[in-house]
Amino acid sequence: MLLAGTSAPAFAQAEGSGAAADEGAAAPGIVVTAERRSQSALSTPISVVALNADMLKARGVSDINSLQSQVPSLSFADYGNVKFVNIRGVGISEGAPNQSVGVAIHWDGTYVAREFVYGDSFFDVASVEVLRGPQGTYTGQNASGGAIYISSVRPDFNGTSGFGSVTLGNIGRKQVEAGVTTQLSDKLAVRLSGQVERRGSAFTNLGPTGAAQPVRYGNQPGNLSRFLGRAQLLYKPIDDLDLLLIHQYSDRRTDGLPTQSFAQAPVGNRTIAYDTDQALNTMYNRTTAVLNYSGIDAFKVRVLGTYQTTDQLSVRDNDYSTAATGTSSKITIHDRYYTGEIDLISPDNRPFTWTAGATMLNYRQPAFTVPNIAKGAPYEQSLTIFTDARRRNEAVFAEVGYKLGNGLEIKAGGRYSWDHVGFIDSYIAPAGPSGFRIPLNPGIRDFSEFTGRVALNWQIDPRLFIYGTISKGYKPGGTTPFGINYDAERVINYETGVKGRLFDDHLTASVSGFYMTYQNFQATYAADINNPATAITRNVNGTRIKGVEGQFDLKVGGFAADASFSVLDAKYGQFEIVQPAGLFGNGLPAQPELINLAGRTIPFAAKFSGAAGVSYVFALSKGSLTPSARISYQGAQWVNFFQAPYNRLPARTLVGARLTYKASDNWSLAAYVDNLLDNNYIASVDQVTDGIGSYILGQPREFGATLSFRF
């Protein structure tokens, strides 16, 4: 098993020959395209983690939620209609209609504009690549914390091949997936793949009566029903030209999240009682085109574009109970956007290399929010907020590199971005049938910024690489539906690292240290968690983040082990804010208080996190048997800047194990156990300031088996 680095649309591939693997050495590295050209992750001046398809499966990584336990510095929090992805404590910590994310996610090379679809499965995926730290040149705006690149398995011209698998597990898990690639002609190939999953809930919702019934109540938060399908067509009329078309469809439905109040039951209770039937349904269509042309000696051409539409429905029981005074909320969102990119890439085998390109994004998100629906009241006559968020971005970028000799190389790149963000034609419709509307039209705000990096690399010998970089990242400012403006966020990152292969290539290692300084760090808080339109973003000066990250992989014969860690020190700068009355419960404080958050830890920045795993391949006469075990630790995290006790996400340790039999004739059987010790951990806590707090428990012990076949 290898942990290494990458980025960008091409999927990661293991370097080196099969002989090295046969001799029991760790693979020399993973080929990545973080800089729009293929190179070893061990000679890329970025702190980067990459997992190929086999590693994802071996480590039980099926989505971003499970990815966070295997990538230190990465944090993921699922709050239903919004999902927060942060790297090194930077990304997004509150849902708002036009809040820009700080970790840019790209699927098959193109940007995913909003976080609604972050809960999707890593199905038929070739690699997942996590770039840590600001990516101001190639990824640009919305990558002040880092970037994640997800690449699907592509069609090819190697005849017909495919796979199928069936998974059965406890908690009613049933999953079937299959895919096939076939060559239609010497110029045309197609790949079709799909996945269906059904899963019950680890919780029991008693429903409106609040008492056990002979028949289980129909609405059970925490369950899952989803379908994900992908169709790809690869056209290669000549050797120098190929065009890839991808259409992806996802339909993900659940009965919402099983949230509980700290006041209602002791932590660990999995029985809930809601009198509102919840829903959290997300459906999208995403079409991507990727064109590559290499018929010009001076440079290669790559053109990418995506169009996506997403529909989301979120219905939530606001008080998580059957209280007569409780309320519910409903949010419906229909967003649509298109992106484009063109790259010109010089040949690799020259002392002087360069890359230049341009990107664009046009995004629109109409949304209806009904934040407080009284029991028995029709939502059509409840107070409704309509927002029509708009966001456009245009950017140009370029980077040059020059090999100075003796293994030294200097790189310098820059990107100039133009952003236009805001709201138009928005309004509040007060409760009642009057039809009266209060307009909300804060307008569109314009921002522009130069970002980039300078890197000095030293390839001391083929097995040892040292780098130092200074990079700048940026996230545009914006406004709220109520016209409260905030400025753009800027970050300077000073980073150095060393990567190498040791002990006859049995061990690969990568360690980096960084220091990040922020100007106008964006901190967001929503007064009503059921109403994203109430979110207010403030700028904080003087925020500092520093830390060390490392990963190590060892392979000796059939034995493999890996370990990774992250140490963070992330502190707010000068930041005065009014602390609400009753924040700490029991009416304390009695009155709102002005406080300064300077020196407090920023949200979603665990001081320490780490992961480790071991495996051993036993060769058998007709296949192999591989037992493996993994452990991950994520330190405690705050989820907002007020830091009441119930705003703290406790640390957690999770252990998993797998036993895989691979037959020599392309079929395999794997048994798995996740959360082996049945740790009753809290997966997320709400960002409320009501003096009580609420939380969601993580999944209990899960076990099952997967039967797979490839041809």
Side-chain angles (χ1 to χ4, degrees):
M1 297 185 292
L2 177 68
L3 183 63
T6 174
S7 155
F11 52 83
Q13 302 174 358
E15 277 191 298
S17 66
D22 293 341
E23 293 168 1
I30 287 183
V31 174
V32 299
T33 51
E35 299 173 0
R36 301 298 191 266
R37 61 183 72 241
S38 298
Q39 62 189 110
S40 169
L42 293 177
S43 57
T44 302
I46 302 173
S47 177
V48 56
V49 175
L51 302 171
N52 61 31
D54 290 338
M55 296 160 68
L56 291 168
K57 184 177 295 185
R59 300 180 185 200
V61 175
S62 59
D63 52 24
I64 294 182
N65 183 49
S66 50
L67 179 67
Q68 67 174 324
S69 64
Q70 303 302 321
V71 181
S73 292
L74 173 65
S75 172
F76 176 76
D78 189 347
Y79 288 95
N81 66 304
V82 293
K83 295 165 176 60
F84 304 154
V85 178
N86 290 270
I87 296 176
R88 298 177 178 174
V90 181
I92 184 171
S93 59
E94 178 58 65
N98 207 38
Q99 176 72 43
S100 297
V101 299
V103 174
I105 294 184
H106 290 242
W107 199 297
D108 289 319
T110 60
Y111 182 54
V112 179
R114 283 305 298 231
E115 69 275 13
F116 311 130
V117 300
Y118 289 179
D120 236 344
S121 167
F122 292 161
F123 161 67
D124 199 25
V125 160
S127 70
V128 176
E129 305 148 358
V130 182
L131 284 65
R132 298 180 289 203
Q135 307 298 315
T137 301
Y138 290 101
T139 307
Q141 60 104 359
N142 299 332
S144 54
I148 299 175
Y149 285 85
I150 305 165
S151 298
S152 305
V153 176
R154 304 289 175 83
D156 56 44
F157 292 97
N158 298 322
T160 298
S161 62
F163 72 96
S165 72
V166 177
T167 299
L168 298 176
N170 66 329
I171 319 180
R173 184 187 182 193
K174 304 177 184 69
Q175 179 177 295
V176 178
E177 59 185 33
V180 61
T181 291
T182 189
Q183 185 174 337
L184 302 179
S185 71
D186 60 348
K187 296 180 174 61
L188 201 62
V190 65
R191 183 175 182 87
L192 302 174
S193 54
Q195 182 187 69
V196 178
E197 183 178 6
R198 302 288 184 270
R199 189 176 66 223
S201 175
F203 296 78
T204 299
N205 180 20
L206 301 178
T209 66
Q213 303 294 320
V215 178
R216 183 178 171 92
Y217 188 66
N219 191 265
Q220 294 295 323
N223 61 4
L224 176 65
S225 174
R226 66 177 178 83
F227 170 78
L228 178 63
R230 189 180 300 122
Q232 302 182 70
L233 185 68
L234 177 61
Y235 178 56
K236 193 174 180 67
I238 57 176
D239 289 343
D240 294 331
L241 176 68
D242 63 74
L243 173 65
L244 177 66
L245 300 177
I246 308 170
H247 183 77
Q248 184 163 303
Y249 171 77
S250 175
D251 189 352
R252 190 178 192 273
R253 300 172 183 268
T254 80
D255 290 341
L257 301 178
T259 309
Q260 302 182 72
S261 169
F262 280 110
Q264 290 173 340
V267 174
N269 175 56
R270 293 186 180 273
T271 300
I272 57 180
Y274 295 172
D275 55 6
T276 296
D277 283 357
Q278 295 197 145
L280 181 58
N281 304 331
T282 304
M283 184 273 288
Y284 70 83
N285 283 277
R286 178 179 177 86
T287 301
T288 300
V290 182
L291 182 145
N292 292 287
Y293 180 66
S294 56
I296 303 173
D297 291 339
F299 55 84
K300 300 176 184 177
V301 180
R302 190 183 70 137
V303 182
L304 307 93
T306 283
Y307 179 74
Q308 177 166 325
T309 62
T310 305
D311 290 285
Q312 180 169 264
L313 168 67
S314 173
V315 179
R316 179 169 177 164
D317 189 316
N318 291 346
D319 56 296
Y320 323 122
S321 74
T322 59
T325 57
T327 63
S328 61
S329 59
K330 180 178 182 179
I331 300 174
T332 55
I333 297 172
H334 174 71
D335 74 349
R336 53 192 180 272
Y337 66 88
Y338 54 91
T339 71
E341 179 173 348
I342 182 169
D343 301 325
L344 306 178
I345 307 164
S346 73
D348 297 334
N349 56 351
R350 298 178 184 178
F352 177 77
T353 58
W354 58 269
T355 305
T359 65
M360 59 82 61
L361 164 71
N362 191 309
Y363 175 85
R364 181 182 180 186
Q365 184 205 99
F368 288 91
T369 300
V370 190
N372 289 288
I373 307 169
K375 298 292 171 70
Y379 77 88
E380 295 89 348
Q381 296 186 16
S382 301
L383 182 144
T384 301
I385 301 174
F386 172 74
T387 54
D388 192 348
R390 305 295 181 97
R391 180 151 52 100
R392 290 190 298 112
N393 169 265
E394 303 90 28
V396 292
F397 67 90
E399 183 169 84
V400 297
Y402 185 73
K403 295 180 174 63
L404 303 172
N406 297 319
L408 287 172
E409 181 184 27
I410 188 169
K411 293 186 175 184
R415 183 185 192 99
Y416 201 88
S417 300
W418 296 267
D419 288 281
H420 323 276
V421 296
F423 299 86
I424 64 170
D425 300 328
S426 303
Y427 60 82
I428 297 177
S434 67
F436 176 69
R437 294 179 176 179
I438 302 171
L440 300 173
N441 289 304
I444 304 296
R445 299 190 67 201
D446 297 320
F447 299 87
S448 61
E449 191 71 25
F450 177 81
T451 58
R453 72 165 181 177
V454 175
L456 180 63
N457 311 326
W458 186 17
Q459 190 76 57
I460 298 176
D461 61 43
R463 287 178 168 80
L464 185 60
F465 176 80
I466 296 175
Y467 72 91
T469 65
I470 301 175
S471 58
K472 179 183 178 182
Y474 150 78
K475 188 164 71 168
T479 187
T480 73
F482 302 99
I484 302 174
N485 297 337
Y486 54 94
D487 292 330
E489 172 184 288
R490 302 170 182 86
V491 56
I492 302 294
N493 179 47
Y494 306 89
E495 183 170 320
T496 185
V498 57
K499 305 179 181 185
R501 311 196 305 268
L502 306 169
F503 307 118
D504 295 328
D505 292 344
H506 288 288
L507 176 69
T508 62
S510 174
V511 178
S512 60
F514 57 90
Y515 182 75
M516 302 164 67
T517 64
Y518 277 84
Q519 178 187 4
N520 291 334
F521 183 80
Q522 293 175 5
T524 306
Y525 167 70
D528 180 359
I529 63 170
N530 302 306
N531 184 5
T534 65
I536 297 173
T537 299
R538 296 277 301 274
N539 292 110
V540 186
N541 279 318
T543 298
R544 300 286 187 269
I545 303 173
K546 56 186 177 182
V548 178
E549 296 159 340
Q551 52 238 28
F552 308 89
D553 294 270
L554 175 69
K555 183 170 175 58
V556 180
F559 175 79
D562 66 87
S564 55
F565 73 90
S566 169
V567 179
L568 283 179
D569 181 17
K571 303 294 186 184
Y572 275 124
Q574 296 295 323
F575 184 21
E576 288 189 342
I577 193 166
V578 176
Q579 182 172 269
L583 174 67
F584 297 104
N586 298 318
L588 300 175
Q591 300 293 331
E593 297 177 350
L594 183 66
I595 59 173
N596 194 316
L597 303 183
R600 292 193 181 187
T601 299
I602 66 175
F604 300 107
K607 291 184 178 180
F608 177 80
S609 56
V614 294
S615 68
Y616 193 89
V617 180
F618 293 93
L620 306 176
S621 59
K622 295 185 178 181
S624 64
L625 185 67
T626 306
S628 62
R630 300 201 62 78
I631 184 171
S632 66
Y633 173 83
Q634 286 185 288
Q637 305 171 38
W638 295 105
V639 301
N640 68 15
F641 41 67
F642 290 116
Q643 299 188 359
Y646 51 84
N647 297 144
R648 184 176 183 268
L649 180 61
R652 62 178 181 260
T653 301
L654 297 176
V655 177
R658 297 178 68 88
L659 181 63
T660 303
Y661 173 73
K662 289 186 177 180
S664 55
D665 52 357
N666 294 330
W667 68 269
S668 65
L669 179 64
Y672 68 88
V673 181
D674 295 327
N675 192 6
L676 177 65
L677 304 181
D678 203 19
N679 184 1
N680 223 9
Y681 67 98
I682 294 178
S684 65
V685 294
D686 272 343
Q687 299 170 305
V688 295
T689 56
D690 58 3
I692 300 171
S694 51
Y695 66 95
I696 300 172
L697 286 176
Q699 288 293 96
R701 180 188 296 120
E702 294 184 89
F703 55 86
T706 299
L707 179 64
S708 304
F709 180 76
R710 293 186 175 274
F711 61 91

